[in-house]
């Protein structure tokens, strides 16, 4: 039994949902519009500002699709109404980050600067205060695009385990190693 697939999705004010004949779910809200093609085996119903998902039988594939499409639709509704946000810290001496439109210009200790172009849906802000680590804040209505961009930025300089230098998500704990001084 898919417990997630059975849960209804309540629509906040200002969010409209429509389903086309070829099972394409469209969600419109104040932050944007998103579409998702739903598997034809999964029935989508909209009643009284609530979305329901139903499956025809209990086969393994239909159970998986039932929960999947319900979760994707819930993310779409939250994205167009509230939006998603990630905050990353850049930790290291001399590490700098600056946003120019949708391009991040980063100094991460390499011999060259890194220019990272973000998707047009993502809005980015950087904050650099004296004595504090630079912070990258990204917002978007699409959770998948935002997460993919944040993971790619983190992969440019992963936090290393000895001093903790690198790009990490705010609040992320890095397990530090003692190093060779502890071996004596």
């Amino acid at each position: 039994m898919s417990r997630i697939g059975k849960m209804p999705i309540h629509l906040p004010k200002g969010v409209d949902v429509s389903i086309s004949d070829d099972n394409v779910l469209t969600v419109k809200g104040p932050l944007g519009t998103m579409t998702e093609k739903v598997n034809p085996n999964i029935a989508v119903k909209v009643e009284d500002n609530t979305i329901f998902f139903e499956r025809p039988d209990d086969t393994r594939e239909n159970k998986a699709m039932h929960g999947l499409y319900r979760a994707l639709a819930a993310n779409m509704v939250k994205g167009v109404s509230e939006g998603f946000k990630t905050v990353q810290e850049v930790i290291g001496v001399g590490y700098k980050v600056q946003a120019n439109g949708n391009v991040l210009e980063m100094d991460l200790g390499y011999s060259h600067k890194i220019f990272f172009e973000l998707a047009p849906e993502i809005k980015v802000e950087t904050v650099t205060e004296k004595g504090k680590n630079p912070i990258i804040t990204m917002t978007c209505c699409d959770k998948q695009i935002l997460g993919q961009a944040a993971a790619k930025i983190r992969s440019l300089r992963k936090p290393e385990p000895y001093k903790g230098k690198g790009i990490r998500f705010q609040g992320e704990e890095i397990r530090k190693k003692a190093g060779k001084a502890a071996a004596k």
Side-chain angles (χ1 to χ4, degrees):
M1 279 285 173
S2 173
R3 290 184 228 150
I4 293 176
K6 286 183 174 181
M7 293 170 40
I9 302 170
H10 302 289
L11 299 175
K13 289 184 181 179
V15 176
D16 296 324
V17 175
S18 62
I19 303 146
S20 67
D21 293 335
D22 54 342
N23 241 15
V24 175
L25 182 67
T26 305
V27 181
K28 294 180 185 174
L31 297 180
T33 302
M34 297 179 68
T35 59
E36 181 71 37
K37 175 118 174 82
V38 179
N39 191 317
N41 291 343
I42 305 299
V44 183
K45 296 180 183 175
V46 180
E47 298 171 358
D48 301 328
N49 283 339
T50 307
I51 306 173
F52 297 98
F53 290 86
E54 296 175 358
R55 64 178 183 251
D57 54 23
D58 286 345
T59 62
R60 185 179 181 126
E61 182 180 342
N62 285 338
K63 281 181 175 181
M65 294 295 162
H66 191 209
L68 170 74
Y69 286 114
R70 191 266 174 207
L72 290 175
N75 285 339
M76 289 167 55
V77 168
K78 183 179 178 188
V80 298
S81 61
E82 301 170 23
F84 294 99
K85 175 180 170 181
T86 63
V87 180
Q88 293 177 314
E89 291 178 283
V90 181
I91 299 171
V93 176
Y95 289 8
K96 298 175 190 167
V97 177
Q98 186 177 10
N100 299 325
N102 257 18
V103 176
L104 278 176
E105 181 181 332
M106 297 180 270
D107 266 337
L108 300 175
Y110 296 116
S111 62
H112 58 282
K113 291 185 180 201
I114 297 172
F115 296 94
F116 187 82
E117 187 173 354
L118 297 165
E121 299 93 9
I122 298 175
K123 293 174 181 60
V124 65
E125 294 177 2
T126 56
V127 177
T128 305
E129 295 179 10
K130 189 170 184 175
K132 295 187 178 178
N133 297 322
I135 293 177
I136 305 168
T137 305
M138 295 186 293
T139 57
C140 185
C141 64
D142 193 340
K143 188 175 186 179
Q144 180 183 358
I145 292 174
L146 183 67
Q148 203 167 7
K152 182 67 178 165
I153 289 170
R154 185 180 187 273
S155 73
L156 296 173
R157 181 66 95 172
K158 290 183 181 174
E160 52 98 14
Y162 296 102
K163 293 183 180 177
K165 293 172 23 176
I167 300 173
R168 70 172 80 163
F169 292 101
Q170 196 168 39
E172 181 181 2
E173 295 285 329
I174 303 296
R175 288 178 37 186
K176 293 189 177 179
K177 294 182 179 178
K180 66 181 181 181
K184 292 181 181 179

